[in-house]
Amino acid sequence: MMRFFTAQGEYANDLAEVLRIFLDREDVQECPSFEEPRPGEMGFCASLSREGGEIVAEAILRTHPETGPAEDRTVYRCPIPRGGALEQKRYEKRALKIAAFRLMKAHFLAYTPWGSLTGIRPTRLYRELCDALGPNEADRMMLGEFDVSPDKLDLAKTIVAVQRGIVDSVQPEDVGVYIGIPFCASRCLYCSFGGKVRGKQAEVDAYLEALKKDIALGADIVKRNGYRVRSLYVGGGTPTTLTAQEMADLLRFALEAYGGFGFEFTVEAGRPDTIDKEKLSVLQSFGVTRISINPQTMNRSTLERIGRKHTERDIEAAFSLARDLGFGWINMDLIAGLPGEGPEDMERTLEAVRALAPENLTVHTLAMKRSSRLAERIREYPLPDAETADAMVRMAMRTAFEMNMRPYYMYRQKYMRGNLENVGYALPGKECVYNVDMMEELTNIMAHGAGAMTKRIFGGEHRVERVPNPKDLPSYCGKIELLSEHKRRLFEAGH
């Protein structure tokens, strides 16, 4: 166990994330003071001070005398920035994390390709550094200050370059619209999502009724304040757990409320066992431009192990059906590091994906979410180590390049195998604008559905404000008017 203390409590969660890079499944607990470690435990402390125009971050690691050296420490210094309070906090947090990372790196073996970076959006950080300091200084910061590996820096640079046209096309009045369907056909072993397996029809009906009300109120806010829909994304869960009639009714309502979908309309068709000709025809009739058919793996034994109710043959059949109906923009999701899989399993999956030739390929790294069944039963499901997960991710990258795809967006999550990342690849001109806008926080997002997150981007201020919808279905359904009022205030503020 690691017990840690910092007087700068607002940064405690950030420090805990750095410590977990090195401690994997060890328990990391914040404590009210810097205590002497007990046998078998470690103690960590981080503090901030200011000296001679510099921010000084100090990290101290203590171990019990029976288990090793009693104490070690690292100090990191950086100039005090000239900006306001928000910029000051950014530099303080950065200094603490770097000091903590370097101290832990000196004591523990861990694969740390992203160095001290624990945030979701390393590409956004790199873009901001380039804009503020120039590309040469941005590269130096990523390599020399944050300890990012050269290959991960190259990945971030490539993505930022690919995104440039999308970034430059953003207008202040743009808004992306998200509609969430929190139902699935079954619950996967690794899932921590707040949705549920589709059950009683009355529950689905109640949810769709509340969702329509949410959509109507959100569309009114968008129109009244002069915003313009840039893209529409229907995600989940698995949206195609809805029947064809339910889907048609929902899409008709949403498009009438908003007056259109901008220039891009994605629906996560998701699991092949929820896809049929009637549902795909409905999506086509409402102008859906992009769909996802997500195998995660093309190995039957793994599909059974993780709780999927379909086979690799079902995936191929659903993909072929979509092609036959004229869908020319299909994404496929894969997960590297699934329990029981190794490089040979990934190779079989990639061979099958290469034969199908989708326009987009999204490669996720397994994230060990604490509320998942996988975390609860981890002893039953051996996972590949960090180096193996990294090898699988690299195999997927090579395959994407061989298919003439480029990486176009990336994000990271907590508890990922090997401290890696999720990367979306696309053929040139087939980049999903909504994914870039949302992950890079380029545009406002009006989000509908349980667990969905509405965002307002305050350009030039490095500030994002959010209105989260409850994940629990009854709570969400009962708070539509209150949520709408919060959204109204958010979208009217300073507009």
Side-chain angles (χ1 to χ4, degrees):
M1 175 184 287
M2 169 72 82
R3 299 179 186 273
F4 78 96
F5 166 75
T6 178
Q8 286 75 35
E10 66 267 40
Y11 306 125
N13 288 337
D14 302 287
L15 284 169
E17 289 180 9
V18 173
L19 299 178
R20 289 190 182 102
I21 293 174
F22 299 90
L23 300 177
D24 198 15
R25 299 184 196 119
E26 291 278 345
D27 195 13
V28 177
Q29 291 187 1
E30 185 181 6
C31 55
S33 62
F34 191 21
E35 303 170 353
E36 289 297 325
R38 303 163 191 173
E41 295 184 355
M42 296 169 285
F44 178 90
C45 177
S47 61
L48 281 173
S49 61
R50 300 198 173 202
E51 299 175 5
E54 292 183 320
I55 294 173
V56 181
E58 181 178 43
I60 302 173
L61 178 67
R62 287 179 182 170
T63 55
H64 194 271
E66 294 178 2
T67 58
E71 183 175 292
D72 195 9
R73 64 184 63 207
T74 293
V75 174
Y76 174 80
R77 299 171 180 269
C78 66
I80 297 173
R82 296 180 179 179
L86 185 60
E87 189 72 359
Q88 300 276 332
K89 286 183 174 294
R90 293 178 71 191
Y91 271 69
E92 287 179 351
K93 180 172 70 174
R94 181 181 295 174
L96 281 172
K97 290 176 66 177
I98 290 173
F101 175 83
R102 292 183 177 177
L103 178 60
M104 296 293 286
K105 181 73 172 177
H107 283 266
F108 298 92
L109 292 175
Y111 186 60
T112 58
W114 288 103
S116 63
L117 300 184
T118 59
I120 296 172
R121 303 171 178 87
T123 44
R124 175 180 167 181
L125 171 63
Y126 181 71
R127 181 184 298 107
E128 290 175 352
L129 289 172
C130 285
D131 292 344
L133 306 173
N136 290 338
E137 181 63 11
D139 288 0
R140 188 199 68 78
M141 289 284 292
M142 294 288 279
L143 295 170
E145 300 297 311
F146 302 130
D147 297 292
V148 173
S149 69
D151 60 326
K152 295 306 179 187
L153 173 58
D154 287 344
L155 175 61
K157 292 172 70 171
T158 299
I159 291 172
V160 167
V162 171
Q163 291 177 345
R164 179 54 61 187
I166 295 174
V167 172
D168 291 345
S169 71
V170 174
Q171 299 298 317
E173 65 272 16
D174 283 342
V175 62
V177 178
Y178 177 84
I179 298 173
I181 307 299
F183 304 111
C184 281
S186 63
R187 191 169 183 85
C188 293
L189 181 68
Y190 50 79
C191 182
S192 64
F193 179 69
K196 58 190 301 183
V197 175
R198 176 167 179 156
K200 296 179 181 179
Q201 185 62 39
E203 181 179 55
V204 178
D205 291 343
Y207 179 77
L208 291 175
E209 181 181 353
L211 182 60
K212 287 181 182 178
K213 188 174 184 179
D214 188 0
I215 290 169
L217 292 169
D220 183 65
I221 293 169
V222 166
K223 290 178 177 179
R224 283 178 178 271
N225 289 281
Y227 288 95
R228 177 183 66 184
V229 176
R230 177 169 159 94
S231 62
L232 174 58
Y233 194 106
V234 182
T238 308
T240 43
T241 53
L242 298 182
T243 66
Q245 183 56 50
E246 288 167 344
M247 181 68 76
D249 189 43
L250 176 64
L251 296 185
R252 182 181 299 109
F253 186 91
L255 291 174
E256 289 176 355
Y258 277 101
F261 57 77
F263 56 87
E264 179 185 275
F265 188 177
T266 294
V267 174
E268 289 184 357
R271 300 191 187 197
D273 50 329
T274 66
I275 297 171
D276 57 33
K277 183 175 181 179
E278 185 180 11
K279 291 179 186 179
L280 289 175
S281 297
V282 165
L283 301 185
Q284 196 171 52
S285 70
F286 284 95
V288 171
T289 57
R290 178 180 181 271
I291 63 172
S292 289
I293 298 175
N294 300 332
Q296 317 302 13
T297 176
M298 295 293 278
N299 295 290
R300 185 170 302 189
S301 60
T302 308
L303 289 168
E304 293 173 354
R305 189 179 305 123
I306 64 177
R308 291 264 168 167
K309 303 300 183 182
H310 60 79
T311 69
E312 72 280 10
R313 299 295 174 232
D314 297 327
I315 297 164
E316 293 166 351
F319 193 97
S320 295
L321 177 60
R323 283 288 196 237
D324 291 344
L325 290 173
F327 284 96
W329 191 359
I330 302 177
N331 171 70
M332 300 188 82
D333 279 9
L334 304 179
I335 300 179
L338 287 170
E341 288 210 339
E344 65 281 359
D345 301 291
M346 176 61 86
E347 184 57 39
R348 282 194 295 272
T349 292
L350 292 170
E351 287 176 2
V353 169
R354 187 186 288 109
L356 294 171
E359 287 70 34
N360 292 171
L361 176 64
T362 307
V363 181
H364 300 266
T365 305
L366 181 68
M368 178 65 71
K369 296 304 179 92
R370 294 191 170 189
S371 58
S372 68
R373 289 189 295 120
L374 178 58
E376 295 170 359
R377 302 169 60 186
I378 188 59
R379 295 181 184 276
E380 302 174 41
Y381 299 99
L383 299 178
D385 59 24
E387 288 73 17
T388 302
D390 183 53
M392 296 165 79
V393 167
R394 290 176 185 273
M395 290 167 63
M397 176 183 284
R398 286 196 297 271
T399 298
F401 288 165
E402 290 167 1
M403 297 170 66
N404 298 315
M405 293 182 179
R406 308 178 298 178
Y408 78 97
Y409 86 108
M410 170 177 61
Y411 65 102
R412 303 184 68 218
Q413 295 171 278
K414 294 180 181 179
Y415 314 118
M416 298 184 80
R417 299 302 295 167
N419 301 305
L420 293 166
E421 66 282 327
N422 304 322
V423 180
Y425 298 90
L427 293 175
K430 292 294 185 179
E431 297 84 7
C432 177
V433 168
Y434 178 87
N435 282 338
V436 177
D437 285 352
M438 189 265 294
M439 282 301 169
E440 300 295 323
E441 295 189 326
L442 300 175
T443 61
N444 310 296
I445 302 293
M446 178 62 77
H448 308 294
M453 180 75 74
T454 293
K455 299 180 183 180
R456 173 83 188 280
I457 311 299
F458 292 84
E461 300 179 37
H462 297 294
R463 181 164 66 96
V464 181
E465 293 191 13
R466 301 169 174 84
V467 175
N469 289 351
K471 295 180 180 179
D472 176 69
L473 268 60
S475 297
Y476 165 73
C477 292
K479 294 182 177 179
I480 299 300
E481 290 87 355
L482 178 61
L483 292 167
S484 176
E485 179 59 23
H486 290 326
K487 293 175 185 178
R488 183 189 65 77
R489 292 176 183 174
L490 179 63
F491 276 81
E492 289 180 353
H495 186 69

